Amino acid sequence: MDHEADAFRTDLMTITRFVLNEQSKYPESRGDFTILLSNIVLGCKFVCSAVNKAGLAKLIGLAGDTNIQASFFLFLFIYFLTFFLSCGEEQKKLDVLSNDVFIKALVSSGRTSVLVSEEDEEATFVESSKRGKYCVVFDPLDGSSNIDCGVSIGTIFGIYTMEHSDEPTTKDVLKPGNEMVAAGYCMYGSSCMLVLSTGTGVHGFTLDPSLGEFILTHPDIKIPKKGNIYSVNEGNAQNWDGPTTKYVERCKYPKDGSPAKSLRYVGSMVADVHRTLLYGGIFLYPADKKSPNGKLRVLYEVFPMAFLMEQAGGQAFTGKKRALDLVPKKIHERSPIFLGSYDDVEEIKALYAAEENN
């Protein structure tokens, strides 16, 4: 009996319980955010399962479209049958599937009005009968090109609130990142981990497959003030600007007697930022001659990661200003980004300031 009692832990903090505890701090709250987040979590669980079975279920190859007019749960059920019972039929690519899952999850929550996805050229406007006060921007499967080699990939999301009751437009999401109310990512790797901030710190939850629940395993994550890792694609070095080149040179050959930094670069933003958040250091994706405006998308890559990094005590910088102060003009706008430990980002900010003064 004692062993059974040990197995049934009652002190575990699930993500649902955590959000409900946060909600209780605001008496005026009606639970809308909790419902929205629950649907995002459900989408993450489904994508995690699909990623784990991608090779077996042939989800990586091209597939024909299927028009499913059903509730979200029926949608999931039909897809599970399609994936795991129908081996001979064409299947959707995993990134397209993930996008479908999150669109369905967010619309069915009844709490969203505008959705912006990396997979869709245009924004999705929820029909009036299912609208709510939130706008969600997301990359349903960042790093999906790495699935074949088993590298960690993930979902990135950010949440805005609607400030009016009029017809929604893209202006409702073309706002600076400092107006986000929440942001997070879910990483699908050796374990499935969801990292979330609602503006009061950063917390990490790990999926327990036996319970089917995300459990709080990394409360109040704080990034080290300075790190010994830098993360950048050095294959683009010949196209970098002066400050980035100088900074990376300092990382490799420091002149102050300090040890050189270690280079770690996965090529999946979620994996690289997750490591940076836990261990410290800096993640760089600068502008260069080939991509003068940078490559990462502002709304659903730069903003959510910058939001998390600042909440954890770090910084995020574009080469010109604080990342969260950007005001995007297009939903798929791009930007350079430098984010990570406070002191490391401060160093590259100084290099850009010096160049501007010169």
Side-chain angles (χ1 to χ4, degrees):
M1 290 296 292
D2 290 340
H3 292 297
E4 290 180 12
D6 289 341
F8 187 71
R9 296 277 302 281
T10 58
D11 59 338
L12 296 178
M13 176 70 77
T14 67
I15 191 168
T16 303
R17 182 175 156 198
F18 176 85
V19 174
L20 286 172
N21 284 355
E22 291 294 302
Q23 177 187 315
S24 66
K25 299 175 184 176
Y26 305 93
E28 72 281 4
S29 175
R30 299 186 305 166
D32 288 344
F33 180 78
T34 304
I35 293 170
L36 172 61
L37 189 64
S38 294
N39 281 44
I40 292 175
V41 168
L42 181 61
C44 291
K45 290 177 183 177
F46 178 79
V47 173
C48 177
S49 177
V51 167
N52 290 339
K53 295 179 174 66
L56 295 172
K58 301 180 182 178
L59 297 183
I60 298 168
L62 181 64
D65 289 331
T66 304
N67 183 19
I68 298 177
Q69 301 296 330
S71 70
F72 180 53
F73 294 103
L74 180 58
F75 170 80
L76 291 183
F77 177 69
I78 291 172
Y79 260 117
F80 267 121
L81 288 179
T82 304
F83 295 149
F84 308 128
L85 301 181
S86 303
C87 298
E89 296 181 6
E90 284 191 327
Q91 313 240 333
K92 288 197 175 185
K93 280 187 177 180
L94 197 50
D95 50 359
V96 178
L97 160 69
S98 302
N99 188 54
D100 288 350
V101 166
F102 279 104
I103 292 288
K104 285 281 186 181
L106 293 167
V107 171
S108 68
S109 73
R111 302 299 186 274
T112 58
S113 287
V114 186
L115 309 176
V116 173
S117 168
E118 191 269 343
E119 290 291 324
D120 296 327
E121 203 168 313
E122 304 293 335
T124 298
F125 298 100
V126 180
E127 60 183 274
S128 57
S129 63
K130 296 181 180 179
R131 279 182 198 154
K133 67 176 184 179
Y134 293 104
C135 305
V136 183
V137 293
F138 62 99
D139 185 344
L141 202 61
D142 177 73
S144 56
S145 61
N146 289 316
I147 295 171
D148 276 343
C149 59
V151 167
S152 295
I153 55 180
T155 298
I156 310 171
F157 62 90
I159 302 173
Y160 289 101
T161 52
M162 291 270 290
E163 304 297 337
H164 59 82
S165 57
D166 301 332
E167 195 70 15
T169 69
T170 54
K171 290 182 181 179
D172 293 309
V173 292
L174 294 177
K175 299 189 288 190
N178 55 40
E179 293 187 27
M180 278 186 171
V181 296
Y185 61 80
C186 188
M187 185 177 69
Y188 315 113
S190 57
S191 62
C192 179
M193 186 168 180
L194 194 151
V195 176
L196 173 71
S197 175
T198 58
T200 56
V202 181
H203 306 278
F205 303 82
T206 303
L207 182 63
D208 183 337
S210 64
L211 299 176
E213 289 280 3
F214 280 99
I215 307 299
L216 180 63
T217 52
H218 295 67
D220 197 21
I221 296 170
K222 295 295 183 188
I223 186 171
K225 199 162 186 289
K226 188 175 180 65
N228 59 4
I229 296 173
Y230 72 104
S231 182
V232 66
N233 183 358
E234 290 213 53
N236 296 325
Q238 63 180 344
N239 297 313
W240 288 342
D241 59 17
T244 301
T245 302
K246 287 179 184 176
Y247 180 78
V248 173
E249 197 71 12
R250 287 185 185 181
C251 289
K252 294 192 283 190
Y253 310 106
K255 296 179 180 178
D256 59 359
S258 61
K261 291 184 184 293
S262 299
L263 171 65
R264 298 286 184 272
Y265 185 71
V266 176
S268 168
M269 188 185 189
V270 170
D272 282 316
V273 171
H274 185 68
R275 182 196 57 249
T276 303
L277 188 64
L278 294 184
Y279 300 157
I282 187 168
F283 170 82
L284 311 88
Y285 212 119
D288 57 36
K289 294 173 185 174
K290 293 191 299 181
S291 304
N293 296 319
K295 286 198 71 175
L296 297 181
R297 314 289 183 144
V298 173
L299 277 180
Y300 41 80
E301 291 177 321
V302 171
F303 278 172
M305 293 308 199
F307 186 94
L308 290 167
M309 204 58 68
E310 287 198 5
Q311 285 292 316
Q315 291 195 77
F317 176 63
T318 67
K320 294 181 179 178
K321 61 168 70 174
R322 176 191 178 211
L324 292 179
D325 289 340
L326 278 175
V327 183
K329 296 180 175 61
K330 299 180 293 184
I331 61 174
H332 296 299
E333 189 169 313
R334 301 173 189 265
S335 172
I337 187 65
F338 307 87
L339 53 80
S341 295
Y342 192 94
D343 288 353
D344 292 320
V345 177
E346 199 66 24
E347 190 174 342
I348 200 161
K349 283 168 70 176
L351 290 171
Y352 273 97
E355 182 181 75
E356 189 175 342
N357 291 336
N358 290 337

